[in-house]
Amino acid sequence: MKQILITGMNSYVGNSLTDWLSNHPQNYNITRISMRSDEWKEQDFGSYDCIVHVAGLAHVSTDKDLEDKYYKVNYKLTEEVAEKAKTSGVGQFVFLSSIIVYGNAQQIINENTEEIPLDFYGDSKLKAEKSLKELASNDFKVSIIRSPMVFGENSKGNYQKLSKYIMFMPLFPKFKNKRSMIYIYNLCEFIRLLIDDRAQGTFYPQNDQHTSTTNLVKLMAKSQNRRVICVRIFNPLIRKLIPKINIMNKLFGNLAYDLEISRYKHKYNLYSLEEAVERTEKNR
């Protein structure tokens, strides 16, 4: 049985991963700890096979007054936890990073795409990655997961905003773009496999197909038994606004991984996009 420590008590990914691994009680023993105070420093890490570090500040603000806090939590805290883990003899450290380290990449992202974070959220994640790579060794495996947008039951962020929009609005733009996303339990299965394999490296999990925002809205509407009419009339304005307004870029810009770099030696996409959206909407 593997002893797993998950950092962060209120993390969406952490909570979901705990539920997912609990389906295999004979294989994993899960412990959760809060990182909101320094009490974690007194915790004995020596009994754990793997630490999954999901604690961090999400991309919810670009307020300059919070810049120091982002670096303290997303970068320095990650470094401190990893150093303690390595010193304690933990064999693997799994870090949840983000596709946001690529900034506003409009091309399909592959292993050679340069990381150009646009704000201190992305930069703090990238600095944490670099620090972890320096700590990595044969005895201390580091798994960095650059996840795209995560969605699922009880998730927050742009997915939920779109879902609420559909409930009230009959029209939506018919616009072609490419987005990488991952359903929460596909991500949890991917993390489970990394733990089983004691995998080391940088990983780019995503659903097994790209989607457009328009297609996603159609799937949401279908799951809600609603009709949304998609029209092209807004497209010229959207193209002008994508490079100028952040929310327009998030909705209709391109941000996608090459499907090839997301492949893994084991199957982790247990749910198709259609199944994932249906499950999410029915349990919202």
Side-chain angles (χ1 to χ4, degrees), residues 216-231:
L216 181 61
V217 165
K218 287 180 178 179
L219 292 174
M220 289 177 176
K222 181 181 178 181
S223 296
Q224 295 180 14
N225 293 317
R226 296 179 181 275
R227 183 167 181 256
V228 174
I229 300 172
C230 296
V231 296

Side-chain angles (χ1 to χ4, degrees), residues 137-156:
S137 67
N138 288 333
D139 296 323
F140 186 64
K141 308 287 187 181
V142 172
S143 306
I144 295 169
I145 302 174
R146 289 180 175 174
S147 67
M149 187 182 89
V150 180
F151 73 98
E153 299 88 326
N154 302 312
S155 62
K156 298 179 181 179

Side-chain angles (χ1 to χ4, degrees), residues 6-99:
I6 300 176
T7 65
M9 297 300 291
N10 298 307
S11 160
Y12 176 62
V13 174
N15 291 341
S16 301
L17 181 61
T18 300
D19 291 341
W20 189 252
L21 295 181
S22 297
N23 293 322
H24 308 272
Q26 71 281 9
N27 295 332
Y28 312 102
N29 184 46
I30 312 300
T31 303
R32 303 280 300 278
I33 60 169
S34 172
M35 309 301 288
R36 291 187 177 275
S37 69
D38 287 338
E39 290 184 11
W40 67 269
K41 294 181 179 179
E42 306 303 319
Q43 180 94 10
D44 180 10
F45 283 5
S47 61
Y48 297 108
D49 299 296
C50 176
I51 292 179
V52 183
H53 186 62
V54 296
L57 286 181
H59 195 205
V60 295
S61 175
T62 54
D63 185 346
K64 289 292 289 183
D65 293 337
L66 295 176
E67 182 172 358
D68 288 344
K69 189 173 183 180
Y70 270 81
Y71 282 105
K72 181 179 179 181
V73 174
N74 289 347
Y75 167 34
K76 296 306 293 183
L77 178 63
T78 301
E79 183 178 61
E80 290 173 10
V81 175
E83 287 174 345
K84 178 177 172 64
K86 184 174 183 177
T87 301
S88 301
V90 177
Q92 184 183 23
F93 191 88
V94 178
F95 175 58
L96 196 71
S97 188
S98 170
I99 196 174

